[in-house]
Amino acid sequence: MKIQFVSYDNIDLIKTNLSVWIEHFRAESSKQLEAELEHPLFTDSKFVEVQDVVLDMSAEKGFRTDAENAKRIYENFRFLSESQASDERLWAGLCLGPFWKYVKYRWDVDAKCTVPHITQHFFFGFGPRRSLTRNALSRLWWIGRLTHDERRDDPWELTRFICENADYIMHVLERNTSNNPSITRGFLSAVIDAHNNGMRIDTNVVGELAKYLNLLGGVYILDCLPEKHIYEKIYEKVKEINSVLTQAI
């Protein structure tokens, strides 16, 4: 598979005319969109070709494929640097090119063909951090990057856990404190262990823990803390939250 970009000029043109060209995203490919541009949509990159990547589109509800597809995207595009993996041109090229059908499947584009929906899942529709977890392809790479842990018996255990609920991704990966994989791994390891030890874990608890991690970032330089220390802090906070919840019953 050849890796191609979409230039910033083309991205700007598409975004500017999106309200007029929106129906082209219901098509089977981006050829109609390219015809509107009246010049090539894609630009060849300097990356070597990679093997064709087939994503799982078997589930009735697309979110159920996130963990498996994060694994496939990260394994096949692991050579990307974090800077390269933050480039809208790369992900727009993949979304509008080889993974067009996947984006339409995962984000139900035919039923939700609106300007905001198309912008955030085919392109970058928010600020730099949030866009990475909303674009259909970049989110998969970053989920893999921040949760894959080869030291665990199952390297993808954290990946599967965070993909259980979209709110977990929002709470954990969209915060600035999640830029460092060791911070994310320490956080999620504590949450999983707490859950396995019978403590209550849901979106509200994970949200409170994410806020607590932000507060820790105001006291410590989190990037300098050992992963074990992050784990211990979060685990103790889960115990504290569960104690309050038990008293409230």
Side-chain angles (χ1 to χ4, degrees), residues 24-33 96 100-101 104:
H24 296 326
F25 286 86
R26 297 185 193 271
E28 291 300 308
S29 73
S30 58
K31 289 187 181 298
Q32 293 181 22
L33 192 63
L96 294 173
W100 173 271
K101 290 184 178 179
K104 285 168 59 66

Side-chain angles (χ1 to χ4, degrees), residues 22 56 65 69 75 92 100 103 106 124 133 144 152 169 178 184 186 221 223 228 232 246:
I22 193 74
D56 182 6
T65 65
N69 286 331
E75 285 182 333
W100 173 271
V103 182
R106 172 60 181 86
F124 282 7
T133 55
R152 304 179 76 87
I169 296 172
S178 66
T184 304
I221 301 175
D223 289 330
K228 181 180 179 182
E232 292 170 348
T246 301

Side-chain angles (χ1 to χ4, degrees), residues 205 208-209 236-246:
V205 172
E208 287 300 312
L209 293 172
E236 287 302 313
K237 188 63 177 179
V238 180
K239 290 169 61 176
E240 177 186 321
I241 292 172
N242 271 256
S243 177
V244 172
L245 291 173
T246 301

